[in-house]
């Protein structure tokens, strides 16, 4: 591949948004007839780089060249005209149109000003058959499963003479058989000389299909490697920004004496083969009173999906969930709250705080939801609850009647924690509760989590930072590619490197 000239060359790409440098002097090259994986954690700059290539964003500085010629795309049409086609994670087609209309959208065959419908259906069918997809081009797109819709999106992207195909998390909604079909198509396109940029969080898939890997972190370029030159553990180290020596130097913080448990003790919650197709593979997990269980894995590993099934935010289609030994069906957040199960989302801005409501109102939301709309919380009772948690969680400013949007991110996170604690949960699921807050507040919330466990609460703790997991968790469930691949007890001797090695090996231990 190195003997050829790149079809795309990026030099010094920089894009700045208010308060953040999304790309910082990034270099990138993509060759004809290769599958090039773009890797990095959330916020690494992958989406920004793709949007620069497709004309959604313009570079503040740097240069993009197509086959050696500098270009400056100001819209997506210019990028497509240059031979760049993109398939996004969310299928961006029109469900109420036919398959043919979607595949040929924007380049319909015409006779004068009129669409030649017969020619359009034939052209769409030819494109679909190239992808080994035998469906009626006249059928409505929404009548097909998401995997077929994804292949229709690829048919649309390849229906023109594309030199470059960008696949942004194309396998996120596909089952294994559909992934294999997609990979077969990608290999055929590669053999035909198409350059493919493949974005995925699934390590197994990257190592199965890619030729080359570029890693971004915090908007900057970490490096580019041939797949054969980059072991999985090293890839993970580059993505998270810690060397193997640094990972080995991080020691566990939770004391093993906290793990004493009677042999016949019944779990507070127990998942048995719990799963949901195209979301997370069936898993087993036991949660006990007074224990913090961590969920770890790279972005896209299935941590949040597992938590949402435990909480009832999503319905499982396999397995069962037991609370205190009794089978239960948690089909709604309100039902879960009544069973004393609470879940604090990772998306604080969109699914957590309600910015225009006061701190007091935000704290009351979950408790009021559990009571129902016709049983308002008495003012005296609510005042006592708010005062208790404002004090115990040290929420500042100490004025519960301020709009929550006026508080810092760390104090907003404390208000969210207060919201769920006000419901007196027995099982509390915390998804990235420490993201985006300062070190001092992190330490406070870690202390609160530990105190809650000592008081008998069962806690599921999700974090992208392994140091945080090692500091507060008694047991750790390890996730990869939507599977729970291992479970380990925390101890003073457990270090991050061992967990990364487990992720890299898919659960196999040496």
């Amino acid at each position: 591949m190195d003997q050829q000239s790149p079809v795309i060359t990026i030099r010094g790409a920089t894009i700045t948004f208010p308060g953040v440098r999304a790309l910082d002097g990034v270099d990138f090259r993509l060759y004809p007839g290769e599958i090039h994986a773009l890797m990095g954690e959330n916020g690494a700059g992958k989406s920004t780089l793709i949007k620069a290539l497709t004309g959604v964003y313009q570079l503040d500085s740097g240069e993009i060249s197509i086959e050696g010629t500098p270009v400056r795309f100001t819209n997506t049409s210019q990028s497509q005209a240059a031979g760049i086609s993109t398939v996004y994670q969310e299928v961006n087609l029109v469900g109420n149109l036919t398959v043919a209309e979607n595949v040929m959208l924007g380049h319909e065959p015409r006779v004068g000003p009129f669409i030649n419908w017969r020619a359009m259906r034939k052209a769409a069918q030819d494109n679909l058959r190239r992808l080994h997809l035998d469906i009626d081009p006249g059928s409505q797109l929404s009548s097909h499963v998401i995997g077929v819709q994804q292949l229709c999106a690829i048919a649309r992207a390849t229906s023109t003479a594309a030199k470059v195909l960008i696949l942004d998390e194309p396998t996120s909604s596909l089952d294994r058989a559909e992934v294999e079909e997609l990979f077969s198509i990608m290999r055929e396109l590669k053999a035909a000389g198409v350059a493919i940029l493949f974005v995925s969080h699934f390590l197994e898939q990257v190592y199965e299909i890619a030729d080359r890997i570029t890693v971004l972190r915090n908007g900057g370029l970490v490096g580019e490697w041939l797949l054969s030159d980059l072991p999985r553990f090293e890839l993970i180290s580059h993505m998270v920004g810690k060397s193997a020596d640094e990972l080995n130097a991080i020691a566990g913080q939770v004391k093993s004496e906290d793990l004493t448990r009677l042999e016949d003790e019944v779990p507070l919650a127990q998942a048995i083969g719990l799963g949901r197709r195209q979301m997370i593979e069936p898993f087993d997990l036991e949660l006990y009173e007074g224990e913090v269980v961590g969920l770890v894995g790279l972005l896209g590993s299935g941590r949040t999906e597992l938590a949402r099934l435990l909480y009832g935010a999503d319905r499982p289609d396999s397995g069962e969930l037991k609370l205190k030994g009794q089978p239960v069906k948690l089909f709604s957040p309100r039902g879960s709250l009544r069973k004393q199960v609470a879940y604090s989302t990772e998306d604080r801005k969109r699914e957590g705080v309600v910015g225009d409501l006061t701190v007091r109102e935000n704290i009351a939301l979950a408790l009021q939801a559990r009571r129902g709309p016709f049983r308002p919380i008495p003012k005296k009772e609510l005042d006592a609850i708010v005062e208790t948690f404002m004090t115990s969680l040290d929420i500042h400013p100490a004025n519960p009647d301020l709009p929550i949007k006026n508080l810092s991110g760390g104090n907003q996170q404390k208000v969210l924690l207060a919201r769920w604690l006000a419901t007196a949960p027995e099982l509390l699921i915390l998804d990235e509760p420490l993201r985006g807050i300062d070190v001092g507040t992190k330490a406070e919330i870690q202390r609160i989590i530990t105190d809650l466990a000592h008081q008998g609460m069962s806690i599921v703790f999700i974090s992208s930072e392994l140091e945080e997991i090692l500091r507060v968790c008694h047991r750790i469930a390890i996730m990869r590619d939507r599977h729970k691949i291992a479970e380990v007890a925390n101890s003073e001797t457990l270090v991050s490197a061992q967990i990364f090695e487990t992720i890299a090996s898919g659960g196999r231990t040496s």
Side-chain angles (χ1 to χ4, degrees):
M1 285 179 288
D2 282 338
Q3 285 70 36
Q4 304 180 53
S5 298
V7 63
I8 289 179
T9 303
I10 299 177
R11 296 186 179 91
T14 298
I15 293 178
T16 303
F17 300 119
V20 62
R21 182 161 286 193
L23 286 182
D24 189 2
V26 170
D27 296 337
F28 177 77
R29 54 184 182 164
L30 178 64
Y31 289 90
E34 78 162 348
I35 299 174
H36 193 135
L38 184 62
M39 303 289 288
E41 286 283 78
N42 195 21
K46 304 186 300 295
S47 295
T48 305
L49 185 67
I50 288 173
K51 288 177 179 178
L53 279 173
T54 55
V56 178
Y57 295 153
Q58 285 75 55
L59 300 182
D60 295 327
S61 62
E63 180 181 84
I64 299 175
S65 297
I66 305 293
E67 296 180 328
T69 302
V71 296
R72 187 170 182 84
F73 300 136
T74 58
N75 57 57
T76 56
S77 296
Q78 293 173 348
S79 172
Q80 292 168 2
I84 299 174
S85 292
T86 306
V87 178
Y88 293 99
Q89 177 178 358
E90 299 296 331
V91 177
N92 57 339
L93 300 179
V94 186
N96 60 348
L97 296 183
T98 67
V99 168
E101 288 171 306
N102 274 282
V103 170
M104 304 303 294
L105 193 64
H107 47 275
E108 302 90 343
R110 293 178 179 271
V111 178
F114 304 104
I115 294 175
N116 185 331
W117 294 98
R118 178 177 294 179
M120 184 174 72
R121 282 191 292 271
K122 184 179 185 307
Q125 192 166 47
D126 290 343
N127 283 313
L128 293 167
R129 283 176 175 166
R130 284 210 311 267
L131 303 184
H132 315 295
L133 193 60
D134 188 15
I135 60 174
D136 179 8
S139 59
Q140 188 167 304
L141 181 72
S142 60
S143 68
H144 298 285
V145 299
I146 190 66
V148 170
Q149 293 184 35
Q150 191 78 49
L151 292 174
C152 289
I154 294 171
R156 174 182 171 182
T158 56
S159 62
T160 58
K163 302 172 185 174
V164 175
L165 177 62
I166 300 175
L167 299 176
D168 186 6
E169 296 284 358
T171 63
S172 61
S173 301
L174 305 184
D175 61 25
R176 185 60 209 175
E178 291 166 338
V179 170
E180 288 297 336
E181 187 65 39
L182 173 60
F183 283 1
S184 174
I185 293 161
M186 289 170 64
R187 292 185 181 103
E188 291 180 15
L189 293 171
K190 168 186 167 180
V194 176
I196 300 176
L197 178 57
F198 178 57
V199 179
S200 177
H201 291 117
F202 299 140
L203 295 185
E204 201 74 42
Q205 294 178 8
V206 167
Y207 276 85
E208 180 179 347
I209 195 68
D211 302 301
R212 192 187 302 267
I213 295 177
T214 288
V215 177
L216 302 180
R217 187 175 68 247
N218 297 328
L221 173 67
V222 178
E224 174 199 287
W225 296 266
L226 289 173
L227 187 82
S228 56
D229 295 338
L230 187 64
R232 298 181 193 205
F233 181 68
E234 289 186 20
L235 170 60
I236 295 171
S237 297
H238 290 310
M239 288 172 64
V240 301
K242 296 186 183 297
S243 68
D245 289 341
E246 287 177 304
L247 294 175
N248 278 306
I250 302 171
Q253 301 295 317
V254 174
K255 294 180 173 57
S256 59
E257 58 261 33
D258 289 337
L259 291 171
T260 54
R261 182 184 304 132
L262 298 175
E263 287 186 10
D264 59 350
E265 183 177 349
V266 176
L268 175 69
Q270 183 179 18
I272 306 169
L274 203 65
R276 181 180 170 95
R277 187 175 180 270
Q278 297 183 349
M279 180 175 167
I280 186 169
E281 296 299 317
F283 64 91
D284 296 339
L285 186 66
E286 294 181 349
L287 305 171
Y288 291 86
E289 293 180 2
E291 185 180 40
V292 184
V293 174
L295 299 184
V296 302
L298 298 178
L299 194 67
S301 61
R303 299 169 305 181
T304 294
E305 289 81 357
L306 186 154
R308 288 177 62 87
L309 283 189
L310 287 177
Y311 179 56
D314 295 312
R315 292 192 180 192
D317 53 25
S318 65
E320 68 173 342
L321 179 66
K322 293 182 177 181
L323 292 180
K324 298 180 179 179
Q326 299 300 312
V328 295
K329 292 183 178 180
L330 302 180
F331 288 158
S332 70
R334 184 175 174 184
S336 299
L337 288 172
R338 287 175 173 169
K339 294 288 187 180
Q340 294 180 281
V341 178
Y343 171 58
S344 182
T345 175
E346 66 173 331
D347 194 339
R348 184 170 65 227
K349 290 185 178 179
R350 290 195 302 177
E351 298 179 4
V353 300
V354 182
D356 290 330
L357 296 185
T358 66
V359 170
R360 181 192 309 277
E361 291 165 333
N362 270 275
I363 290 175
L365 280 175
L367 183 58
Q368 185 61 67
R370 190 176 75 179
R371 292 170 65 102
F374 304 112
R375 293 179 58 217
I377 306 169
K379 183 178 184 304
K380 185 176 181 180
E381 179 184 343
L382 179 58
D383 287 346
I385 290 171
V386 170
E387 183 178 356
T388 295
F389 289 113
M390 292 286 289
T391 302
S392 63
L393 300 183
D394 195 24
I395 297 172
H396 291 288
N399 179 358
D401 296 314
L402 286 176
I404 194 173
K405 62 185 178 184
N406 293 350
L407 274 61
S408 68
N411 280 289
Q412 289 181 13
Q413 189 63 58
K414 289 181 183 179
V415 172
L416 276 183
L417 188 54
R419 175 191 297 171
W420 300 114
L421 293 180
T423 67
E426 294 182 343
L427 171 59
L428 176 61
I429 303 168
L430 299 174
D431 195 349
E432 295 285 5
L434 307 181
R435 177 182 288 166
I437 60 179
D438 62 77
V439 174
T441 305
K442 281 186 179 183
E444 285 185 61
I445 294 179
Q446 288 169 358
R447 176 190 56 77
I448 292 166
I449 291 170
T450 302
D451 288 346
L452 291 171
H454 286 159
Q455 294 165 23
M457 191 179 294
S458 177
I459 298 172
V460 175
F461 178 67
I462 302 175
S463 176
S464 300
E465 299 293 331
L466 273 178
E467 296 93 326
E468 297 170 359
I469 292 287
L470 291 170
R471 195 168 293 119
V472 303
C473 295
H474 302 99
R475 213 164 15 102
I476 300 168
I478 303 172
M479 311 289 296
R480 194 182 98 171
D481 296 353
R482 300 182 187 146
H483 292 75
K484 177 182 169 234
I485 59 172
E487 190 174 305
V488 296
N490 199 0
S491 70
E492 296 289 349
T493 60
L494 184 66
V495 295
S496 293
Q498 294 169 271
I499 295 176
F500 280 120
E501 286 168 358
T502 302
I503 295 172
S505 68
R508 297 181 297 275
T509 56
S510 55

